[in-house]
Amino acid sequence: MTHKMTLQYWPYRWPTLLSSALISTLLLLPIGAASGQGLPILRLQAGIHLITAEVAGTDATRQRGLMYRDKLEPNQGMLFVFEEKALHCFWMRNTKIPLSIAFLADDGTIVNIADMQPFTENSHCAQKAVGLALEMQQGWFRQRGIKPGMKLGGFAQKQ
């Protein structure tokens, strides 16, 4: 089931229902500020490629996402962490940068990838219920041969 979003992303509370393994990973990894937003940073890996992902894990940071940004640095993205697994949908209202989004299972497995155009309100949704989504510069996944079914590193494994 999908719903029309009120801003850029579906708002949910910070992850209280995500697996304890994923939460532990987010809390134990080094954090810092990669942007003026001062968001926590998670280092991910896609094969040989390293990703610096700002973590949007609150209602406010998920709603704002990458709105109003003029650019992303190479290998920089934003990881959206949701409280509940669902068919989360994204759009590009007030977003200047063309993006690709990968919807991810808790273990980092890519469920599906969608390209999104700036300043549009077309919905781009997960093909199955997920709790994570990673936005990167448009074409980032394709240019590196990263496809659905592949697993990103940097997520704790469920025990």
Side-chain angles (χ1 to χ4, degrees):
M1 181 169 126
T2 60
H3 299 281
K4 191 68 173 176
M5 287 96 10
T6 56
L7 288 174
Q8 183 182 15
Y9 308 102
W10 285 17
Y12 288 96
R13 288 165 275 153
W14 179 230
T16 57
L17 299 177
L18 274 182
S19 71
S20 60
L22 178 59
I23 293 171
S24 296
T25 299
L26 292 174
L27 294 175
L28 294 176
L29 288 176
I31 59 173
S35 73
Q37 293 186 35
L39 297 175
I41 300 299
L42 182 62
R43 308 282 182 217
L44 301 173
Q45 190 170 349
I48 63 169
H49 307 284
L50 298 177
I51 300 167
T52 301
E54 296 175 64
V55 179
T58 66
D59 287 346
T61 58
R62 282 191 301 267
Q63 287 174 9
R64 183 172 176 92
L66 293 171
M67 285 181 171
Y68 310 110
R69 301 261 187 115
D70 292 318
K71 67 176 186 163
L72 280 176
E73 296 301 321
N75 300 326
Q76 180 185 2
M78 183 169 281
L79 180 69
F80 295 82
V81 181
F82 294 94
E83 172 183 292
E84 298 176 10
K85 291 182 184 178
L87 298 177
H88 297 289
C89 294
F90 288 68
W91 63 10
M92 296 285 285
R93 180 181 288 176
N94 298 321
T95 306
K96 301 176 182 182
I97 309 164
L99 299 171
S100 293
I101 186 166
F103 294 96
L104 308 169
D106 286 347
D107 69 353
T109 301
I110 299 172
V111 172
N112 63 292
I113 300 171
D115 286 339
M116 304 185 295
Q117 300 305 317
F119 299 109
T120 60
E121 294 186 14
N122 303 332
S123 292
H124 303 277
C125 304
Q127 292 177 351
K128 72 175 194 176
V130 298
L132 302 166
L134 177 64
E135 288 183 340
M136 300 293 290
Q137 290 178 0
Q138 190 172 91
W140 190 93
F141 299 102
R142 182 179 56 257
Q143 292 162 4
R144 290 158 181 80
I146 299 166
K147 300 176 182 175
M150 297 176 90
K151 187 182 279 192
L152 302 182
F155 297 96
Q157 301 300 311
K158 290 184 179 181
Q159 301 298 319

